[in-house]
Amino acid sequence: MLDRQDRIEKTLNAVLPAPELAPTRLHAAMRYAVLGGGKRVRPLLAYGAGELSGADARRVDRAAAAVEMIHAYSLVHDDLPCMDDDVLRRGKPTVHLAFDEATALLVGDSLQSLAFQVISEKSMDDDAQRQVEMIELLANACGSRGMAGGQAIDLEATGKTLAVTELEFMHVHKTGALIRASVVLGARCGDALSHAQFNELDRFGKFIGLAFQVVDDVLDAQSSTATLGKTAGKDAKNNKPTYVSALGLDGARKFAAELRDDALRALDALPRNGGRLRQLAEFIVLRRF
Ligand code: GRG
């Protein structure tokens, strides 16, 4: 994990515009938003899947950087006063406080564009058709039928009670779609998997993406701001429907473990029983931050 976290940090550092490049304030804010923080779960998943499909790690670097920049953009926008209005992210003041609101908006916009630029570059793939499919996959995962759509549902759901199926629909899109895409994009960087194995990997991504959000709900309810590096207890304070409000703390923990088991079963068909993805599934469910 440490090796891969170091690798993605270096890749992100290299693909982000240098801070002395104009417009310097925007570039400094983009680097502030992305570098030196976060667990890098999505890149780790991409690397884990890439190892299974025999991918060249330099290709996976680009896929991993793209998903992490999309993720960082979503956090910056989510923290804005017009959305979750938060002051702390990854243990630091949120981008709109460290810089200003307009800059935070542009940071998100620019990170999203840069993500697509990074996976569109020629060095990413020698198979143009496959590369276009990867770009399409990422676009679907973060657009209105993916992450942004899930966020829209989340904003509408504030103050409402949702049935577990509605909650699942929201989170499969808001959080799950990008996590699933991280797994699939990592795998698409190589070609050693059969069609059936690839489908199982996709199922793994779906289950572990939802498990990630269930655990996020549990941590928000039971952990501290200092441990999380972001404001804890916000869901209850903002009257948001969560897996904890729907199932209770124990019920949510149990559900996360079930999803982890489903995810692990999907890995049975893969080389080395899923290798590092097995460990990552455990990490996602057992993490404390
Ligand atoms: C603004 C288009 C748009 C979308 C926002 C994903 C999202 C949608 C908002 C993030 C808000 C949030 C706290 C969602 C819960 C799950 C989540 C994505 C948590 C943060 O991800 P981690 O734990 O964060 O991977 P680090 O900092 O470790 O990268």
Side-chain angles (χ1 to χ4, degrees):
M1 243 173 104
L2 290 176
D3 175 70
R4 292 297 185 270
Q5 284 169 334
D6 184 51
R7 193 173 171 112
I8 190 62
E9 192 72 19
K10 289 191 174 115
T11 305
L12 290 165
N13 189 33
V15 299
L16 282 161
E20 58 275 9
L21 195 71
T24 53
R25 187 174 164 77
L26 177 58
H27 290 155
M30 287 165 73
R31 298 177 72 85
Y32 177 90
V34 175
L35 297 175
K39 298 177 288 296
R40 311 300 194 197
V41 163
R42 293 150 193 83
L44 290 172
L45 288 167
Y47 284 120
E51 277 176 30
L52 295 180
S53 72
D56 178 336
R58 282 165 305 181
R59 275 187 192 159
V60 190
D61 284 339
R62 302 191 87 72
V67 290
E68 186 65 14
M69 287 192 289
I70 295 282
H71 170 57
Y73 124 66
S74 81
L75 299 180
V76 174
H77 279 192
D78 184 66
D79 290 333
L80 282 168
C82 62
M83 294 215 194
D84 252 19
D85 193 9
D86 214 328
V87 295
L88 193 70
R89 175 67 67 184
R90 294 176 165 177
K92 302 190 291 193
T94 44
V95 176
H96 64 276
L97 291 183
F99 292 82
D100 55 75
E101 245 180 271
T103 303
L105 197 68
L106 293 171
V107 163
D109 296 341
S110 306
L111 288 176
Q112 175 158 219
S113 302
L114 187 55
F116 282 99
Q117 186 186 322
V118 160
I119 58 163
S120 310
E121 277 168 16
K122 270 204 184 122
S123 58
M124 173 69 192
D125 210 326
D126 42 27
D127 180 338
Q129 174 66 31
R130 180 168 71 173
Q131 193 172 359
V132 170
E133 281 169 19
M134 288 168 82
I135 295 166
E136 187 183 6
L137 202 138
L138 185 61
N140 282 329
C142 65
S144 67
R145 302 282 297 163
M147 182 181 77
Q151 177 78 344
I153 300 169
D154 180 288
L155 293 170
E156 277 169 27
T158 304
K160 294 186 186 155
T161 306
L162 295 187
V164 172
T165 47
E166 294 171 310
L167 207 52
E168 181 168 323
F169 185 82
M170 174 168 88
H171 288 317
V172 157
H173 290 82
K174 184 178 107 166
T175 317
L178 189 62
I179 291 183
R180 186 176 181 178
S182 306
V183 175
V184 175
L185 282 174
R188 292 289 280 156
C189 291
D191 43 27
L193 296 180
S194 68
H195 189 64
Q197 285 174 322
F198 189 81
N199 285 344
E200 286 302 298
L201 202 56
D202 183 38
R203 267 164 44 79
F204 166 81
K206 186 175 175 194
F207 286 128
I208 213 61
L210 188 57
F212 184 94
Q213 181 60 52
V214 179
V215 173
D216 199 75
D217 287 355
V218 169
L219 291 175
D220 180 80
Q222 64 158 195
S223 192
S224 69
T225 299
T227 307
L228 295 180
K230 62 180 182 179
T231 313
K234 277 188 65 180
D235 293 335
K237 187 164 166 267
N238 295 341
N239 208 4
K240 290 228 172 172
T242 67
Y243 279 100
V244 174
S245 63
L247 305 174
L249 259 177
D250 284 346
R253 278 197 207 101
K254 195 164 162 274
F255 185 43
E258 284 167 14
L259 289 165
R260 186 246 349 250
D261 292 345
D262 288 337
L264 292 179
R265 265 192 293 278
L267 292 179
D268 285 344
L270 286 148
R272 289 180 282 121
N273 275 339
R276 288 177 206 277
L277 291 184
R278 265 196 130 68
Q279 297 160 355
L280 280 169
E282 297 289 356
F283 170 72
I284 283 170
V285 173
L286 296 176
R287 71 198 164 98
R288 304 236 173 262
F289 58 95

